[in-house]
Amino acid sequence: MPSIDANHAAIARVVHITPPRFSDHRGFFAETYSQRGYAALGVDATFVQDNHSLSAAVGTVRGLHFQAPPHAQAKLVRCGRGAIFDVAVDIRSGSPTYGRWAGYTLSAENGAQLYIPVGFAHGFATLEPDSEIIYKCSDYYAPETEGALRWDDPDIGIAWPLTSAPVLSEKDAAAPLLAGFNSPFTFEG
């Protein structure tokens, strides 16, 4: 059974998970997902799509992304090679933690994962070259529902561990700020 980080309560429903690894002279084995085991930790999403991305340069920032209803996505994120600083931002209107963020280092070495529920924007910064991110999604990609918020929004105030200017897509560099954002998500207690 994977373990859950006690810090996950900082933003309800965002869960930092570390599956156990069984190591020997050949390397290790880890069960990276079990519906039964993860449901016991509060991860109740049904995943329908797996994604895999590579970011070549250290300091690449992707996000903060989300998909709006009716194709909203929960994500289960892990790093297969390298290391990333992975972030979830609560964008559920009416939430007591609206606009707050939680961030964790996920790496090939630590095997940690982050569960990001529906109603949260997601982003990450690469900490090592050629970092590969593998994540499960609870709905299919629907480009007509995708949205983004600025990665460096001062109202969110993410403490990105960057040592130089980030490598960004044009879309991420031009994403809107949280101020004036009309969230398609509502907090449901």
Side-chain angles (χ1 to χ4, degrees), residues 6-138:
N7 295 326
H8 84 284
I11 296 183
R13 300 189 61 222
V14 172
V15 184
H16 184 239
I17 303 164
T18 304
R21 287 186 171 175
F22 304 95
S23 300
D24 64 21
H25 66 281
R26 301 166 296 168
F28 72 85
F29 170 84
E31 185 176 273
T32 60
Y33 178 73
S34 162
Q35 186 177 26
R36 178 178 46 217
Y38 279 54
L41 298 175
V43 176
D44 59 357
T46 300
F47 296 110
V48 299
Q49 179 177 308
D50 282 2
N51 296 334
H52 185 158
S53 76
L54 168 71
S55 295
V58 171
T60 297
V61 174
R62 295 181 188 249
L64 303 164
H65 302 151
F66 62 89
Q67 275 192 188
H71 297 288
Q73 293 178 323
K75 297 177 181 175
L76 180 62
V77 183
R78 65 187 175 95
C79 184
R81 180 170 65 165
I84 63 171
F85 182 69
D86 205 48
V87 175
V89 178
D90 188 347
I91 57 171
R92 301 169 296 162
S93 63
S95 169
T97 56
Y98 181 80
R100 288 186 40 201
W101 63 277
Y104 298 90
T105 298
L106 309 181
S107 68
E109 184 178 328
N110 70 21
Q113 302 177 0
L114 191 63
Y115 172 68
I116 302 161
V118 166
F120 288 74
H122 171 244
F124 63 86
T126 56
L127 304 176
E128 294 181 9
D130 297 319
S131 290
E132 294 188 20
I133 298 81
I134 302 153
Y135 57 102
K136 296 183 164 309
C137 298
S138 66

